[in-house]
Amino acid sequence: MLNGNKISTDGCLVLAKLLQEEDSTLAHLQLRGNKIDDEGVGILVDALQNNKSLGTLDLRGNDGISKQGQISLLKLVNDISCIKATLQSNHTLRYLNDKRIIPDGDPFNVDEEEFQKQINFATKINRNHDG
């Protein structure tokens, strides 16, 4: 648990190295209430593309994460840009929480709750997947 430790982009770089190790066994990563922004999310998303151990990522309370970061997280678990991308999405991550995401005046008119529902649906598919 690394909640409330002021982790920012630099900390995400260190965590990414750990997540990218082939023998990584980290199953749960709680990063609530840190200073993670979209750049940090991007670093974590890149690291998790091929990670086969992390099942839970909790990013709640990181106010620097915008809609762009939310989109990156959703694409990590369910990239629907093409069939190949969907198949290559991370199917290990089964719980992904990030409630403070979408700012007021969102041009796509998708509220925070709806985005979290989409992420929950994608990770529910992962939980039900036997592979």
Side-chain angles (χ1 to χ4, degrees):
M1 215 175 358
L2 296 171
N3 298 334
N5 281 295
K6 300 181 182 177
I7 294 170
S8 62
T9 302
D10 290 339
C12 289
L13 287 167
V14 174
L15 290 169
K17 288 179 185 177
L18 296 172
L19 293 167
Q20 290 174 324
E21 290 180 2
E22 265 189 57
D23 59 349
S24 176
T25 59
L26 184 63
H28 306 283
L29 184 55
Q30 292 187 5
L31 296 169
R32 291 185 196 178
N34 283 290
K35 297 186 178 237
I36 298 171
D37 59 10
D38 292 341
E39 185 178 359
V41 167
I43 291 165
L44 293 173
V45 165
D46 288 345
L48 289 169
Q49 292 294 329
N50 297 308
N51 179 282
K52 302 294 183 218
S53 66
L54 195 69
T56 302
L57 177 60
D58 190 345
L59 293 169
R60 288 179 281 186
N62 287 281
D63 295 340
I65 301 173
S66 73
K67 180 177 180 183
Q68 188 57 48
Q70 180 81 24
I71 291 169
S72 296
L73 291 167
L74 183 56
K75 283 184 175 182
L76 171 67
V77 292
N78 190 24
D79 186 345
I80 60 169
S81 60
C82 67
I83 292 172
K84 184 177 180 182
T86 301
L87 293 172
Q88 292 176 338
S89 295
N90 180 306
H91 299 290
T92 305
L93 201 54
R94 297 183 184 318
Y95 297 95
L96 177 58
N97 298 312
D98 185 14
K99 295 269 185 181
R100 214 245 50 74
I101 295 296
I102 300 179
D104 293 334
D106 170 44
F108 296 104
N109 200 24
V110 177
D111 67 15
E112 195 173 310
E113 188 175 312
E114 182 60 31
F115 241 114
Q116 188 63 46
K117 282 182 188 177
Q118 292 174 19
I119 287 175
N120 290 345
F121 182 72
T123 54
K124 182 177 181 181
I125 292 170
N126 287 351
R127 287 191 298 274
N128 294 327
H129 177 59
D130 290 331

